[in-house]
Amino acid sequence: MDFSYALIFQTFNGVVWGLIFALIALGLSLTFGLMNLMNVAHASFYMLGAVLTAQFVTRLGLGFWSGAALATISVGGLGMVVNRLVLARVVDSPPVIGLLATAGLLLVIESSTLATFGAVPVSVDPPVDATFSIFGVDYPGYRLVVAGLAVAILIVTFLLLRFTRFGLWMRAAPQQRELALISGVSSGRINTATVIIGSLLAGVAGALVAPIAGAHFQMGSSVLAVAFTVIVVGGAGNLWGAVVIAILLGVVRGVAAAFMTPSEAEILSLVLLLPVLLLRPDGILAKARS
Amino acid sequence: MSRRLMINRRKALQGLAAVATAGSVRVAAAASSEPIVIGLQTELTGALAHDGGWGKKAAEAAVAWQNERGGFAGRPLKLVVVDTETKVDVGIRRLQQLLQQENCDFIIGSGHGGIGMASVPLCRDAKVTYLPLARTDGITTELGNPYSVRIVANSTMGASAASKWMVDSLGKRWGMVLADYAFGYSQREAFTASLAKAGGELAQAIALPVNTNDPLPYLLKLDRSLSGIVMAILGPDSVRVYPALRSLGFGKTPKITVSCTQNLFDIVRLGSAVEGVYALDEVPWELDDYPNPAFSKTAFDRIGIGSNGRAKDGDDYVMLPNAIMAWECTELLRMAVEGARWKTKADNLSLSNWLVSNPDFALSEGFPQGGFSVRAADQQAFIDQYILQIQGGRMKRVSKVAGATTVYPSKDLVQR
Amino acid sequence: MSVRTALGVVALLVLAVMPFVTGPYAVFVCAQMITLIYIAASLQMSFAYARILSFMQGTFFGLGSYVACVTHGSGFTLPVMLLAAVAASGVLGVVVGLVVTRMKAAHTAVICTLLVATIVLMCANSFVGITGGEDGLSLRGGSYMFGLAVAFGANRITYCFAFLPLAAYFIFVMLAERTTFGVVMKAVGSNEVRAAQLGYQVWLRHLAVFAAAGGMAGYGGAMNAVVLEHVSSALFDPNLSLTAVLWTAVGGLAHPFGALFGGLLVFPLTELAARAFKYVDIVVGALLIAAALLFPQGIAGLVGERRLGHFNRRSSKEMLAEGPEGRSQTA
Amino acid sequence: MSVASPQPIALETRDLCKHFSGLEVLKGVSTAIRAGEVRAVIGPNGAGKTTFINVLTGIHPASSGRVFLGDADVTGLPAYRIARKGLSRTFQISNLFADLTVLENAMVAVHAGRCFRQSRETVDESLSLVGLSALADRLVSEISHGDQKLLEVAIATACGPDVLLLDEPTAGMSPSETNRFIDLLNERLRSRYTIVIVEHDMNVVMNTADVISVLTLGRILAEGKPDEIRTNPGVQEAYLGSAYA
C-alpha cells in the first residue's frame, strides 16, 4: 500500500478514536474540575455502557440504537446511585480518600459485571454496515457515524456548560462554593448533575464503542490510564485541553503504527507524554491560577 | 445422590480447613475406603473465568461418573476445586493449598500458561502428579519431569497438525495476527517452523497489543496477497479483530484459529464476520463429528453439553477442549491407578512409569476424543487434532490430523 | 506505649514465630504475604514522607523480581541478587521520582505513576524474549549466602530473608517515631510548603524517599521471586499496586504500621472470603469503599491515640532531657 | 524614613514584578527595609500584599526585578535556600504541621535552623517566647486558632531568621489576643528581628510599625512614618476610602 495513503488513513482513524476518548475524558474532566474528584470508577461506567448495550442487543433482542440509549440511561442512573452512596460522601475529603473510594467502586462494579454477565467477550454488529473508501481503503461507515455523534455530544455538552444557568452554576461551584450556596444553589445538586452528566458521557462512549471494540468486563481498565493522562496533560479541569490531547494521542498512535510494531506505537504514544508532564507538570494547557 | 453427599462433605471439609490452622496435617491412611483426592487448579474468576468454569463442570461430572462406576480401584474420589483468579501468584498459592493443606494425590492443572509453568516444578518437588491443561511448550520441554503428564496438544503439535493441511488445502504464503504476549510469540515460532517444514512460509506477522481498543490501524499493514491468515489472539481481542478484518476487505481471505483460541469467546455469534473461518481444535464441537458419538454422548450429557456443542442450559458456548480433556484426565488417572496398583502418593512415580509403558489408550467413553499414547521421553501425549470450519453458524468438522503425525523429537527429559 | 505500638509488636512477634509453630502451607502463605507487605509498606512510605500516592509500587516489585531472577540466571549468589534488585528498583525510583516529585497536584503524580506502570506492563508483555511474558521464567534450585546454601521456595531461611528486613524497618520506624529524624520526616511529608519556608529542601527529600520506597518494594519483589520460584509479566499488573493501596488504606495511610495491619487483616480475610465466595473482588472493593468512607485514618489511625494503661506518652520534658538528638545536622 | 539611623539594609526589592499569565499583580515594587526596622505593608484587598510575600520567600518566582537579602541577591532562588539565608515567614491562614504536637512543630523548625545548636533551650525558648510552653504536648489540631497563630510565629522564629515576614498575624484573633500580640511584637520580637508585617488591623499597624508602605494595584503608593501615612490624602482616598467606605 502506498505510504501516504496509510498516513492519511491513520490520521483519520486517530481523529475518530480521539473523539471517542474525548467523550470519556470529558466526563472525567468534569468530575475532576468541578468536584476535585479523580473518579477511577469512571472507567467502569464506560465498560458498563458497552456491556449493557451488548446484553440488551443480544439477550433482549433490542435494536442497536435503542439498546445503546437504554444502556446510556442505565449508566446515568447508576451514576446517580453511586453518587448518592459514595461520591457525595467523599467530595470534600482529601483527594486520596476520593481515589480510594472510587478505586473500590471500580472493583465492585467490574466484579459485579463479571458475576452477572460472565467473562465472555460479546460482540455487537454495527447498525451501519456500509463502508466508504478513503484512498482505496475501505473504512467502516459506522465509525464515521460514531465520530459525528461524538462531535454532536461534545458540542451539546459545551453549550450546556456555556449557556445555561445550570452550566453557570456548575462552573461557579468549584471556585466559589460559598457564593453558589448564597445564590440558592446547593452544591450537592450541582455535584449530582455533574456525576450524572459524566456517567452519561462515559456510558454513551461505551455504547458507541461496543460494535467496534466488543464488550468485556475488563475493557474499562484499558482506557483508564490513557483517559486520566489525557486530562492531566490537557490541563486538569480544562475541558478543551482534554479533547485536544485525546485527538492528538489518537493521531500519534495511528501514525506511529505506520512505522513500527503496534506495541511500540502504543508505548511510544504514552512515552511521548512523559516529557510533557516533566516540563508542564500541571498540564500543557493548564490555566494559570494565582 | 452420592454426588450431592460428596459435595456437602467437601464443603464441610473446606470449612474445617478454613477454621483450623493451616499446619494441620491429615493422617495419610492407606485404607481402601479413604477417598483419593484430586485437586483441580482452575480459573473461576478473572479473564479466563469462562474456560475454567467449564473445566470445573467437566471435572465434577467426571468425578461423579467415576464414583458411580466404583471410583478408582474401589476407592471413592474427592475433588477439591481452587480458583486461581487467573493470576500467577494466586495460582501458585492455591496450588500450595492443594499440595500441602488438601493433601491431594493428583492435580489437574490450570489452562493458563504462566500458572502451568510455575506449577510444574512445585508439583515435582512435592512428588504429586500434575496434569496441566495449559498448552505452553515449556511444560513438557524445559520443565519435563516424571510427575507431569500432559494430554493436551502443545503449540508445536498444534502448528504441525495445522500447517500441512493449510499448505496442502489453502496455499503456501501465510500471514499471522498474534497477541503481543508470550502465547502469541510461541505460536509464531511454532508456525514459522512448521509451515516451512510443510513447504509453505509465514510471510508476515502482526503482533497486537493485548486489549488494544482498536486493531484496525495495525491490521492495515496486512499483505493482500496472502493465502490466508493464522489467528493467534485472545478472546476480547478476537471480538474486535474479525469485524476489523472484514471491514478492511479480508472477509474472503481464509483464516484459521489456533490452539483453542476459538473457544475463548462465542465465535459463531460473530455471524458473517467469521463465516468460513477454519479452526484447529483438539476436539470436534458437534457430537456427530466425534469418532464415536455414542462414546462422546456420556461426557456430553454429564457435563451438560448439547449435541450441537453448546450448553444444554442457556445455550452458552463451551470451552470444549478443556472440558473434554479434564474428563479424559480423570479416566487416565483411573486406568493408571488400577493398572499400576497405586496405593498412596508414594506410588506416583510408578504410576507415571505405568502410563508411559502402556502403549495405547483406546477410544472409549472415558476417552471420547480419540486414542493416544504417552511418550516416555517427556510424558507428552500425542492426540488427534481436528480442522473445523464455521459453516452457517455451526462449527463443522473438515478434517482430522492423526496424533502420530505431530510427533516431534525430544531429549530424554524424564530420567527414571 | 500506645495501642498501635503494642499491636505492631504483637503482629511482628506472631510473624516471627510463624515458621516454627506451623506447617509448610502456612509458612508459604505467610512468606508470600510478607513479600506483598513490602509493596504496601513502600507505598505508605512514599505517601507519608513524599506525598506521592504511587500506583506503581507493584512495578518496582515486579522489577525487583525480574532482576533477582536474571542475576540468579547469570550465576550470582543471593546477596548479589537482592542488592541488584534493590539497586535497580531504586534507580527506577529516582528516574520516575524526577518527574513525579515536581508535580504540585497530588492527582498528577498518581496519574504519572499509573502511566509508567501501564508502559512497563506493555513492555513486559511485549519483550517476551527477556521477560518470558505471561508464561514467565522459573527460578530453580537455590543459591548461596556467604557459603551457606539457601534453597528457593518457602522455608525457614527464605522466610527469615523476607521477614527480618521488614521487621527491622518497622522496629526502626517505631523507635524513630518520636526522634527529631522521625518528626522531621513526617513534617516534610505532610506540609511541603511550610517545610520549604523553614529551609528544608523538600524536593530532594521527597525524591530520596520515593527512590528508597522503590528499592524497598524491589527487595520484596526479589524475595517474592525466591519464595514463589517464578516470575512473570503478570507482576506488572496494576492490580498488584491496587492491592497494596487497599491494604495500606485499611491499615492507615498515615502510619507505617498501617501497611502491616492492613496486610495482616486484609490478606487472610480475602483468603477466607475466596473459599466461601467466588467474586472476592466485590468484597475487596467494598472494603476499600468502607475504609474510605468510615475510617479514613485506617486501623493505625483508629488505635493510634489510645494509650495502654499507665504508659503515657513521653512528656516534652522527658524528650528534651535526652538532650540533642543523635542525628547530626546535615540539612 | 529614619534617615538618622545608620543601620544597613536587611531586605531590598528593586522593581519587582509578578504576573500570572497576563494578570499583573506586582508592577514594579522597589523598597528597602533596614535592619531592626518594623515595616508594615498595608493596602486594600487584591493589592498584591500576599503575592509580595510569596515572591520574597520564593514560593512564586519573580517575573522581573530583584530581591536582596542583606548583600545577597536571592532572586530566583528556591524557597528553602532563601529560608536558609535568614528569611522566615508566617502564613495568613495558619499553615502548620497539623498532625504533630506543638513541641514537635518547634523541633522541626529548630532542626531546620541555621544555628547548629539544637537543644532543649532552643526549642523551649521558641515556645516560651510566644507563651505556648504549657501546650507543648497538644496536637496542633487541638489548640485554638489564636494559639495556632502564635505557634506560626514561634516556628518562624525558631529556625533562626534575620528577617521575619508576618502575613496578617492577627487575622481572626479576638481583641484581647490582638493586644497580647502587639505586646509580644513590641516587647520580644522587635529587638531580635527585622520585621515585615502585612496587616489589615490599623490598630496593630499604628502601634507597631516604624515605617508603613502602602501597596495598591501592585505599586507602592506611599511610604513613610505612621503619622505621614495617616495624613497622606492620596492614601486616605485609595486605601481607607475603599476599605472603609
Side-chain angles (χ1 to χ4, degrees):
Chain A
M1 171 178 322
D2 191 79
F3 192 67
S4 59
Y5 288 179
L7 273 188
I8 294 168
F9 180 96
Q10 300 292 17
T11 310
F12 198 80
N13 195 57
V15 171
V16 172
W17 267 97
L19 286 167
I20 295 170
F21 263 96
L23 283 181
I24 305 168
L26 182 59
L28 206 55
S29 185
L30 272 176
T31 38
F32 179 54
L34 301 180
M35 298 163 70
N36 199 27
L37 181 71
M38 269 287 177
N39 184 7
V40 181
H42 196 74
S44 59
F45 293 154
Y46 161 78
M47 177 274 291
L48 266 184
V51 168
L52 289 178
T53 304
Q55 293 296 331
F56 289 146
V57 170
T58 56
R59 292 213 185 167
L60 302 185
L62 292 181
F64 173 77
W65 294 114
S66 40
L70 198 56
T72 306
I73 293 166
S74 312
V75 173
L78 181 80
M80 190 161 70
V81 174
V82 159
N83 176 59
R84 177 154 306 175
L85 292 180
V86 181
L87 302 186
R89 296 168 198 235
V90 294
V91 159
D92 294 319
S93 311
V96 177
I97 300 298
L99 266 173
L100 294 178
T102 55
L105 260 181
L106 176 79
L107 281 178
V108 170
I109 297 178
E110 264 194 6
S111 320
S112 308
T113 309
L114 169 66
T116 317
F117 301 118
V120 183
V122 181
S123 68
V124 182
D125 285 335
V128 179
D129 214 16
T131 55
F132 98 115
S133 182
I134 40 170
F135 302 99
V137 179
D138 290 330
Y139 194 77
Y142 174 69
R143 295 185 181 215
L144 291 182
V145 177
V146 170
L149 278 173
V151 169
I153 294 168
L154 289 173
I155 289 175
V156 167
T157 313
F158 278 114
L159 291 179
L160 189 77
L161 288 177
R162 191 80 222 152
F163 293 112
T164 64
R165 260 163 68 83
F166 202 66
L168 185 69
W169 290 336
M170 283 173 71
R171 280 181 294 137
Q175 275 104 27
Q176 301 284 342
R177 266 182 196 278
E178 293 84 359
L179 191 74
L181 281 171
I182 291 165
S183 56
V185 192
S186 99
S187 65
R189 271 177 55 205
I190 297 168
N191 290 345
T192 309
T194 309
V195 171
I196 291 175
I197 293 175
S199 52
L200 284 173
L201 285 169
V204 79
L208 290 176
V209 155
I212 302 174
H216 187 241
F217 76 103
Q218 284 175 326
M219 70 192 284
S221 41
S222 69
V223 299
L224 187 66
V226 179
F228 267 130
T229 311
V230 159
I231 71 161
V232 166
V233 174
N238 180 337
L239 306 186
W240 275 117
V243 176
V244 169
I245 298 293
I247 293 175
L248 273 180
L249 197 64
V251 173
V252 167
R253 181 178 308 185
V255 171
F259 298 91
M260 52 188 80
T261 71
S263 286
E264 285 164 3
E266 300 234 349
I267 291 168
L268 178 80
S269 68
L270 295 180
V271 166
L272 278 180
L273 295 173
L274 284 177
V276 177
L277 284 174
L278 184 62
L279 296 173
R280 297 293 305 263
D282 297 310
I284 203 163
L285 301 167
K287 278 184 279 188
R289 289 180 185 144
S290 52
Chain B
M1 168 66 188
S2 71
R3 185 178 163 199
R4 167 161 302 174
L5 249 173
M6 196 197 70
I7 287 172
N8 283 341
R9 185 158 165 223
R10 197 184 96 221
K11 283 226 168 99
L13 273 170
Q14 276 191 351
L16 265 180
V19 174
T21 52
S24 68
V25 180
R26 245 178 302 148
V27 184
S32 65
S33 62
E34 183 76 5
I36 295 172
V37 186
I38 300 177
L40 176 69
Q41 174 201 35
T42 193
E43 289 67 44
L44 299 178
T45 52
L48 295 180
H50 183 269
D51 320 350
W54 278 101
K56 175 172 178 261
K57 273 185 198 174
E60 282 171 351
V63 164
W65 183 61
Q66 297 287 1
N67 272 334
E68 278 173 36
R69 300 200 307 168
F72 291 0
R75 283 173 65 183
L77 306 184
K78 180 168 101 76
L79 181 71
V80 181
V81 184
V82 290
D83 175 17
T84 67
E85 302 172 21
T86 325
K87 294 174 189 160
V88 179
D89 61 327
V90 181
I92 297 175
R93 192 156 72 235
R94 297 283 177 266
L95 181 77
Q96 296 282 9
Q97 184 187 339
L98 291 176
L99 292 174
Q100 294 172 343
Q101 203 178 17
E102 305 290 349
N103 218 8
C104 290
D105 299 305
F106 313 107
I107 290 169
I108 300 175
S110 162
H112 183 283
I115 297 174
M117 289 288 280
S119 300
V120 167
L122 298 174
C123 287
R124 184 192 63 192
D125 293 349
K127 297 190 175 12
V128 171
T129 305
Y130 185 76
L131 299 103
L133 295 181
R135 292 159 178 85
T136 308
D137 279 359
I139 288 175
T140 43
T141 55
E142 55 188 281
L143 297 180
N145 72 79
Y147 295 97
S148 122
V149 182
R150 177 157 70 179
I151 63 167
V152 296
N154 63 24
S155 309
T156 300
M157 291 160 63
S160 78
S163 293
K164 181 149 190 342
W165 179 86
M166 283 155 57
V167 172
D168 292 349
S169 320
L170 298 171
K172 288 180 190 299
R173 278 191 85 238
W174 285 80
M176 183 183 234
V177 177
L178 61 132
D180 197 344
Y181 222 37
F183 164 76
Y185 286 104
S186 68
Q187 292 293 336
R188 184 172 72 181
E189 207 174 299
F191 272 89
T192 306
S194 64
L195 276 171
K197 202 175 151 206
E201 62 163 329
L202 188 66
Q204 190 187 19
I206 293 181
L208 294 179
V210 178
N211 268 329
T212 181
N213 288 303
D214 180 18
L216 193 70
Y218 307 138
L219 296 174
L220 199 63
K221 282 187 182 172
L222 264 180
D223 186 343
R224 289 182 181 269
S225 64
L226 294 168
S227 324
I229 306 167
V230 184
M231 308 291 290
I233 45 179
L234 306 173
D237 289 323
S238 304
V239 190
R240 299 164 193 148
V241 172
Y242 287 101
L245 280 175
R246 192 177 58 144
S247 64
L248 285 175
F250 290 96
K252 297 270 190 299
T253 312
K255 293 177 261 310
I256 181 163
T257 65
V258 303
S259 185
C260 310
T261 50
Q262 64 279 2
N263 293 287
L264 294 174
F265 67 109
D266 202 349
I267 188 166
V268 295
R269 288 292 161 89
L270 280 183
S272 54
V274 294
E275 186 60 27
V277 165
Y278 296 97
L280 170 72
D281 208 328
E282 289 157 1
V283 293
W285 283 27
E286 303 206 351
L287 192 61
D288 292 341
D289 285 343
Y290 275 77
N292 184 342
F295 283 161
S296 314
K297 197 167 187 321
T298 313
F300 267 51
D301 281 350
R302 293 202 162 241
I303 300 171
I305 308 169
S307 61
N308 59 353
R310 298 183 74 84
K312 270 196 230 162
D313 303 328
D315 197 36
D316 188 12
Y317 73 99
V318 179
M319 179 47 159
L320 270 154
N322 278 13
I324 299 298
M325 288 301 156
W327 175 274
E328 294 200 352
C329 281
T330 324
E331 175 71 355
L332 188 71
L333 285 173
R334 182 190 68 78
M335 293 183 68
V337 163
E338 294 175 356
R341 300 179 196 289
W342 180 96
K343 289 281 179 285
T344 69
K345 266 200 293 194
D347 302 329
N348 277 352
L349 193 59
S350 59
L351 179 131
S352 74
N353 287 339
W354 183 87
L355 275 176
V356 295
S357 61
N358 191 40
D360 194 22
F361 295 92
L363 185 70
S364 67
E365 266 185 304
F367 299 119
Q369 184 269 350
F372 59 87
S373 58
V374 180
R375 173 161 76 181
D378 54 0
Q379 304 201 141
Q380 170 74 51
F382 289 87
I383 57 172
D384 299 339
Q385 293 177 69
Y386 295 85
I387 307 289
L388 314 173
Q389 188 183 25
I390 299 175
Q391 298 167 355
R394 295 171 64 182
M395 188 68 94
K396 297 300 293 174
R397 171 174 154 172
V398 173
S399 176
K400 176 169 135 178
V401 183
T405 66
T406 63
V407 176
Y408 57 92
S410 167
K411 287 178 283 186
D412 266 336
L413 288 162
V414 181
Q415 310 289 330
R416 284 166 208 283
Chain C
M1 184 189 259
S2 71
V3 175
R4 179 169 58 205
T5 313
L7 272 180
V9 171
V10 170
L12 289 177
L13 283 176
V14 167
L15 285 177
V17 300
M18 189 60 95
F20 301 100
V21 298
T22 54
Y25 178 58
V27 173
F28 175 83
V29 172
C30 283
Q32 194 180 12
M33 176 179 71
I34 287 169
T35 63
L36 294 174
I37 288 179
Y38 277 93
I39 315 181
S42 73
L43 168 76
Q44 193 281 333
M45 187 198 239
S46 157
F47 181 71
Y49 305 126
R51 260 298 170 271
I52 298 164
L53 186 72
S54 164
F55 271 47
M56 63 170 292
Q57 292 311 106
T59 306
F60 293 123
F61 184 84
L63 182 67
S65 289
Y66 265 105
V67 169
C69 190
V70 168
T71 44
H72 173 65
S74 314
F76 289 101
T77 55
L78 191 57
V80 181
M81 288 162 61
L82 297 176
L83 282 176
V86 172
S89 35
V91 168
L92 180 65
V94 171
V95 173
V96 178
L98 282 174
V99 182
V100 292
T101 50
R102 283 165 40 89
M103 294 175 168
K104 292 190 188 75
H107 295 119
T108 329
V110 174
I111 301 318
C112 194
T113 57
L114 190 61
L115 184 66
V116 174
T118 308
I119 293 172
V120 173
L121 175 64
M122 276 187 187
C123 293
N125 274 335
S126 192
F127 303 144
V128 172
I130 303 165
T131 63
E134 185 70 358
D135 288 344
L137 307 171
S138 280
L139 193 71
R140 297 301 302 153
S143 189
Y144 291 91
M145 182 89 179
F146 309 124
L148 173 79
V150 178
F152 292 159
N155 53 54
R156 284 179 190 169
I157 297 176
T158 54
Y159 189 93
C160 288
F161 273 110
F163 173 67
L164 291 179
L166 190 71
Y169 167 72
F170 285 124
I171 291 168
F172 173 75
V173 160
M174 194 157 63
L175 297 178
E177 195 177 5
R178 302 275 288 154
T179 65
T180 308
F181 174 72
V183 170
V184 166
M185 287 301 285
K186 213 169 147 185
V188 174
S190 68
N191 188 341
E192 51 193 272
V193 173
R194 190 24 133 177
Q197 296 277 286
L198 289 175
Y200 288 102
Q201 188 174 5
V202 177
W203 175 74
L204 201 59
R205 281 168 176 266
H206 284 188
L207 182 63
V209 167
F210 190 72
M216 184 173 181
Y219 184 89
M223 282 317 299
N224 183 71
V226 166
V227 169
L228 265 67
E229 303 173 68
H230 189 260
V231 297
S232 80
S233 63
L235 286 166
F236 295 107
D237 193 317
N239 263 322
L240 199 58
S241 300
L242 193 60
T243 309
V245 173
L246 166 76
W247 291 9
T248 322
V250 171
L253 269 166
H255 196 274
F257 283 1
L260 183 63
F261 295 161
L264 283 175
L265 183 79
V266 180
F267 186 82
L269 202 70
T270 47
E271 281 296 287
L272 285 180
R275 288 170 186 240
F277 184 60
K278 194 164 144 189
Y279 302 102
V280 189
D281 276 353
I282 297 185
V283 181
V284 174
L287 202 59
L288 200 48
I289 297 173
L293 295 186
L294 305 178
F295 50 105
Q297 303 295 309
I299 300 166
L302 285 180
V303 300
E305 298 316 316
R306 292 167 192 236
R307 310 271 146 231
L308 260 190
H310 60 276
F311 293 103
N312 283 312
R313 171 184 269 173
R314 292 192 302 161
S315 73
S316 60
K317 295 282 180 283
E318 279 173 313
M319 286 183 69
L320 292 171
E322 287 170 12
E325 304 299 335
R327 192 170 164 273
S328 62
Q329 297 264 351
T330 52
Chain D
M1 283 252 189
S2 49
V3 187
S5 166
Q7 289 288 350
I9 289 170
L11 180 66
E12 183 181 3
T13 65
R14 289 185 199 157
D15 205 23
L16 200 59
C17 293
K18 177 68 193 172
H19 50 80
F20 296 99
S21 50
L23 179 67
E24 287 189 69
V25 183
L26 298 179
K27 303 172 192 164
V29 177
S30 300
T31 188
I33 297 154
R34 292 191 177 273
E37 181 179 318
V38 174
R39 167 72 63 94
V41 177
I42 65 172
N45 279 329
K49 302 185 298 285
T50 295
T51 303
F52 182 55
I53 287 197
N54 285 343
V55 171
L56 289 182
T57 56
I59 288 187
H60 297 317
S63 303
S64 65
R66 309 218 72 82
V67 181
F68 294 89
L69 194 57
D71 296 330
D73 184 347
V74 297
T75 320
L77 290 184
Y80 77 95
R81 288 193 55 193
I82 298 178
R84 286 185 194 177
K85 285 182 182 294
L87 184 69
S88 186
R89 71 172 290 186
T90 68
F91 285 81
Q92 181 179 354
I93 298 159
S94 55
N95 188 350
L96 298 159
F97 303 109
D99 41 5
L100 299 182
T101 64
V102 169
L103 178 88
E104 286 169 342
N105 268 272
M107 277 166 63
V108 171
V110 168
H111 182 77
R114 291 177 306 156
C115 54
F116 285 77
R117 174 182 63 99
Q118 190 202 10
S119 65
R120 167 181 183 157
E121 289 77 35
T122 330
V123 177
D124 254 359
E125 260 173 38
S126 63
L127 290 182
S128 63
L129 180 76
V130 297
L132 284 179
S133 300
L135 299 176
D137 287 331
R138 302 278 290 277
L139 278 177
V140 165
S141 48
E142 294 168 353
I143 65 174
S144 74
H145 177 78
D147 287 338
Q148 288 187 7
K149 299 290 280 195
L150 290 176
L151 183 57
E152 278 277 346
V153 176
I155 68 173
T157 57
C159 62
D162 302 321
V163 179
L164 194 57
L165 307 182
L166 305 173
D167 192 356
E168 304 209 12
T170 67
M173 279 189 179
S174 69
S176 67
E177 283 174 331
T178 304
N179 287 331
R180 282 221 311 272
F181 180 79
I182 294 172
D183 293 343
L184 167 70
L185 200 158
N186 285 330
E187 290 163 20
R188 301 193 183 179
L189 301 180
R190 178 186 287 277
S191 56
R192 302 179 192 210
Y193 310 105
T194 305
I195 295 173
V196 178
I197 178 168
V198 169
E199 188 52 73
H200 265 129
D201 188 334
M202 281 304 137
N203 176 31
V204 179
V205 172
M206 293 303 169
N207 281 306
T208 56
D210 297 324
V211 179
I212 297 176
S213 301
V214 184
L215 204 60
T216 52
L217 300 170
R219 286 204 177 82
I220 291 192
L221 180 73
E223 200 163 271
K225 291 185 176 163
D227 287 345
E228 298 165 14
I229 295 298
R230 212 191 311 249
T231 54
N232 184 323
V235 173
Q236 281 182 346
E237 187 193 325
Y239 178 71
L240 299 176
S242 69
Y244 294 107

